[in-house]
């Protein structure tokens, strides 16, 4: 890492801040690494009952009968519930994406299936009892008779007709959605060369380190739920709506969550069911997901087949880009399911000035676990489509992949830049990130080395990805009309409370689950109030303590929540200045925050600490007309999204005998505007890149044609470990965003968005001499070996497959 530690100094932004911009160690880590953190699993209430779910072994079947007699007879079992028992639940689980003017086939989806099951793992019954292990045994005693129905797992076959996942629609199509930008026909008419590819982005799992867990406690008319969720405020809303409890009587707490990667951005049936069961039985009810359940029923991600078409002039100028996406949405629409492919469309121009860009999406039901947001949600897929297709175009034109990128970059003077589809990118300087990348990667030397290695039969390749992402999910004005406007606006809230002693508690509406908000947000507030970040306590993830919130996903927390907090702290600082001015008989505008004190400009000895200011505020020793106390609330919504960007390079060695890909080097240069904490940024980039390398090379949720999950454990679903990965080289450029006062953009997903095409392009670059021109992920040894064999066979016959 070259400039991480000096991020604030190298970025050209004013280095006024004492704590912002510093690589402070994470405040949350000591409790996490010393076993003092509290997960749902660790929380016990007197009289807690345990729940275990009976899940369908069939991918599609009618439920003929459920015999729970033996299970009910088991010692310690209090109840066995089926879908029919939950008939007082009149509203199904929510799909919160309601795009205006789009017809959406939306089947009812219940916490326990009613009448039929639609994928393996669909819950059919739940056993509640006193002992955690006894309920699992009792669940095995529940005898369910199924009448199997035909299964469909291939989305393209599903689109062609029967069998139907939901007979009532007479189709497997969920919806169609388009984002047009310009005249496609005219765009392609201008092109000298057109490339078309079928780009597969296969199904993956979130695979967080901790599976889900819920503890629900209904007593005296109020419901408290502890859930391993990314979205406690949304879970509260839907618990209130679905269970018919006034929202003020529902409290949802997300304690330590143990990672989510999007898979805990959901309103899960288990959350609603445990709340319902606790009310029904008058006792707390707890459920902890097993790893196998997590693989089978925590929502999956990706699973898109894109038909891409890119046209360009002979000199490499892109004239049009069209993608037609078939998105496998699985068996139901969960909270955001049908929206996920659409989230990539706003950045389908990538970092390029393309006059015509159009995305057409068709969502499809299959008998598989529903898909929904997994880190990047739509944007990794879009970036993969753009970046691999662009490399294909470059090869077709005989132009260097970097040259074609530079030729089409949106020039830095164009910002704020409007793309063909009307999306306005806030700021960018794409040449700068690529220049920085090439300071790390000497291309001339690499090509010489590559040649020399090839001569010895070693196949080394390099691949690039220059990307942008749309994040900071807000504002309502833009995000609402995309279909997310029916349940919520997209702002973020903050409360800053200075206590009598000068200690500071802040409440954020974001809900981190590994991102380090407690550290970064404390840094922001500490600078505003002239205190040490150590004395700033950041509280999150509890609907009972802070104000309304919109939680954590879409790399929104810093750019929206952090900014809200910064503004809130500014309110407190302004009030403190007025109090100090009143006490010291100075003008408020002459008070500055300096070296931990509010002091009079030019007279550093004259001043007060925050503790002294708080003392005055709580003694009501404040200017006339001012309220006592030192506390403020802010709700803030930005005018636009933020658009981080970057340039990544991946170097791989491919063994032509086995098809095994080894990553030799990975270099990431990202630009997320001004840095709050460079160490957090680096950690996020590392994690994000690993996520995408995992998808590119190893991870693949697979079903057989009967809809049976064949990758149901971490033995079959191969997560990468440190042993498979190189030491990442990361660097940053800084192009501040004009959207918020911090000049910051999100970073939580950039690595995941950037990396899979860099890996794919590198493998193709390595294998071109063997005749491999294109290959889809996952680049498993088998697939790579097959591609080589196929290409060699074709070349033996005098042709090379495209
Ligand atoms: N940050 C910073 N300076 C910037 C930008 C960000 O210091 N210019 C810091 C922030 O203060 C924050 C972190 O980087 O501590 C990530 O910030 P942001 O980009 O705002 O993203 P969010 O906090 O909203 O996190 C969401 C994002 C998503 S969508 C997924 S999925 C994801 C991810 O973050 N899941 C994660 N990172 C994860 N990291 C962990 N450990 N576990 C997950 O489940």
């Amino acid at each position: 890492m070259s400039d991480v530690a000096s991020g604030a100094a190298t970025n050209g932004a004013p280095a006024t801040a004492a704590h912002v911009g510093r690589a402070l160690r994470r405040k949350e880590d000591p409790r996490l690494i010393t076993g003092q953190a509290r997960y749902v699993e660790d929380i016990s209430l007197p009289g807690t009952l345990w729940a275990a779910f009976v899940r369908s072994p069939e991918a599609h079947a009618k439920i003929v009968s459920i015999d729970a007699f033996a299970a009910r007879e088991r010692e310690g079992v209090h109840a066995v519930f089926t879908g029919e028992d939950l008939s007082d639940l009149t509203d199904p689980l929510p799909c919160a994406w309601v795009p205006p003017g789009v017809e959406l086939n939306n089947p009812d989806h219940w916490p326990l299936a009613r009448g039929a099951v639609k994928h393996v793992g669909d819950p059919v019954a739940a056993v509640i009892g006193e002992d955690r292990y006894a309920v699992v045994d009792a669940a095995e005693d529940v005898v369910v008779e199924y009448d199997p129905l035909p299964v469909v797992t291939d989305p393209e076959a599903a689109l062609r007709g029967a069998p139907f996942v939901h007979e009532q629609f007479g189709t497997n199509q969920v919806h169609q959605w388009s984002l047009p930008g310009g005249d496609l026909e005219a765009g392609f008419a201008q092109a000298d060369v057109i490339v078309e590819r079928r780009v597969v982005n296969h199904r993956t799992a979130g695979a967080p380190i901790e599976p889900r867990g819920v503890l629900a406690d209904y007593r005296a008319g109020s419901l408290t739920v502890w859930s391993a969720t990314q979205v406690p405020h949304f879970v509260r809303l839907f618990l209130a709506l679905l269970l018919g409890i006034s929202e003020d009587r529902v409290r949802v707490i997300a304690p330590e969550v143990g990672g989510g990667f999007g898979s805990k951005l959901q309103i899960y049936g288990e959350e609603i069911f445990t709340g319902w069961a606790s009310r029904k039985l008058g006792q707390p009810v707890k459920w902890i997901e097993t790893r196998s359940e997590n693989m089978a029923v925590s929502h999956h991600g990706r699973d898109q087949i894109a038909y891409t078409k890119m046209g360009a002039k002979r000199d490499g100028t892109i004239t049009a880009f069209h993608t037609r996406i078939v998105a496998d949405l699985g068996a139901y629409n969960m909270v955001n399911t049908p929206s996920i492919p659409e989230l990539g469309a706003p950045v389908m121009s990538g970092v390029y000035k393309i006059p015509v860009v159009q995305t057409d999406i068709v969502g499809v039901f299959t008998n598989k676990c529903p898909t929904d947001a997994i880190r990047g949600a739509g944007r990794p897929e879009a970036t993969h489509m753009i970046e691999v297709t662009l490399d294909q175009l470059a090869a077709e034109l005989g132009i260097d992949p970097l040259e074609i990128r530079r030729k089409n970059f949106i020039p830095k003077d164009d910002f704020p830049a409007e793309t063909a589809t009307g999306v306005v990118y806030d700021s960018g300087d794409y040449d700068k990130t690529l220049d920085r990348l090439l300071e790390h990667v000497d291309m001339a030397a690499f090509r010489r080395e590559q040649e020399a290695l090839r001569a010895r039969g070693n196949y080394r390749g390099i691949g690039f990805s220059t990307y942008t992402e749309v994040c900071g999910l807000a504002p309502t004005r833009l995000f609402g009309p995309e279909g997310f406007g029916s349940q919520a606006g997209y702002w973020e809230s903050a409360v800053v409370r200075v206590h009598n002693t000068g200690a500071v508690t802040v409440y954020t509406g974001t809900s981190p689950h590994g991102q380090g908000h407690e550290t970064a947000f404390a840094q922001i507030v500490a600078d505003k109030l002239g205190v040490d970040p150590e004395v700033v306590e950041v509280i999150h993830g509890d609907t009972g303590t802070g104000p309304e919130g919109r939680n954590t996903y879409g790399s929104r927390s810093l750019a929206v929540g952090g900014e809200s907090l910064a503004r809130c702290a500014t309110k407190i600082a302004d009030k403190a200045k007025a109090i100090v001015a009143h006490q010291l008989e100075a003008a408020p505008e002459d008070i500055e925050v300096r070296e931990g004190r509010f002091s009079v400009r030019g007279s550093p000895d004259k001043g007060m600490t925050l503790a002294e200011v708080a003392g005055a505020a709580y003694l009501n020793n404040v200017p006339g007309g001012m309220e006592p106390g030192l506390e403020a609330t802010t709700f803030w919504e930005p005018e636009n999204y933020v658009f981080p960007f970057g340039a990544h390079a991946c170097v791989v060695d491919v063994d032509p005998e086995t098809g095994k890909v080894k990553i030799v080097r990975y270099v990431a240069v990202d630009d997320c505007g001004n840095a709050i904490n460079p160490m957090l940024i680096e950690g996020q980039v590392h994690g994000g890149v690993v996520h995408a390398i995992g998808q590119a090379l190893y991870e693949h949720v697979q079903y057989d044609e009967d809809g049976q999950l064949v990758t149901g454990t971490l033995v079959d679903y191969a997560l990468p470990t440190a042993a498979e990965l190189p030491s990442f080289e990361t660097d940053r450029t800084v192009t501040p965003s004009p959207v918020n006062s911090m000049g910051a953009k999100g970073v939580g997903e950039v690595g995941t968005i950037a990396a899979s095409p860099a890996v794919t392009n590198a493998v193709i670059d390595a294998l071109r001499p063997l005749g491999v021109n294109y290959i889809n992920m996952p680049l498993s040894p088998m697939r790579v070996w097959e591609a080589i064999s196929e290409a060699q066979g074709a070349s033996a016959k005098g042709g090379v497959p495209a």
Side-chain angles (χ1 to χ4, degrees), residues 260-261 375 514-515 517 520 557-558 674 676-677 684 745 747-748:
F261 309 107
R375 199 174 197 166
Q515 292 87 351
H517 297 180
S557 301
L558 177 67
N674 286 326
I676 302 305
N677 183 324
Q684 288 294 313
K745 306 182 180 192
V747 76

Side-chain angles (χ1 to χ4, degrees), residues 200-327:
V200 179
N201 208 297
H202 58 282
R203 185 174 274 245
T204 64
I209 199 161
E210 297 291 335
R212 292 181 289 129
V214 196
L215 168 61
D217 183 27
Y218 185 88
R219 61 181 68 221
S222 292
L223 175 66
T224 306
V225 170
W226 288 262
S227 181
T229 178
Q230 297 174 221
V231 287
H233 289 89
F234 290 117
V235 173
R236 175 179 64 171
L237 175 66
F238 285 105
L239 278 167
L241 292 175
L242 300 187
L243 298 182
I245 306 172
S246 175
E247 204 179 346
D248 60 310
R249 291 189 154 263
V250 182
R251 179 177 179 187
V252 176
I253 302 165
E256 225 65 77
V257 171
F261 309 107
S263 69
K264 293 173 182 168
L265 190 194
Q266 193 52 264
I267 312 298
Y268 278 108
E270 292 90 347
E271 287 165 319
I272 305 298
F273 173 78
T274 47
W276 177 90
S278 175
R279 179 170 64 181
K280 182 91 178 165
L281 300 173
Q283 279 177 259
V285 175
K286 187 170 178 177
W287 168 74
I288 300 291
E289 190 181 45
T290 64
R291 178 59 65 187
S292 315
E293 283 178 303
N294 184 267
M295 295 307 293
V297 299
S298 276
H299 71 239
H300 297 153
R302 317 282 188 254
D303 216 348
Q304 298 179 14
I305 299 166
Y307 292 87
T308 65
K309 181 174 175 186
M310 193 178 270
K313 299 267 190 210
R314 192 137 316 272
D315 69 357
T317 306
I318 306 170
T319 60
F321 183 44
H322 181 221
T323 53
R324 190 172 65 77
I325 299 170
V326 177

Side-chain angles (χ1 to χ4, degrees), residues 511-526:
S511 197
H513 40 281
Q515 292 87 351
H517 297 180
E518 290 171 37
T519 308
F521 288 12
Q523 290 175 259
I524 295 169
V525 172

Side-chain angles (χ1 to χ4, degrees), residues 257 279 334-335 487 564 608 749 754 777:
V257 171
R279 179 170 64 181
M334 295 188 77
V335 74
Q487 308 286 353
S564 181
M608 293 169 73
E749 295 160 291
M777 297 188 294

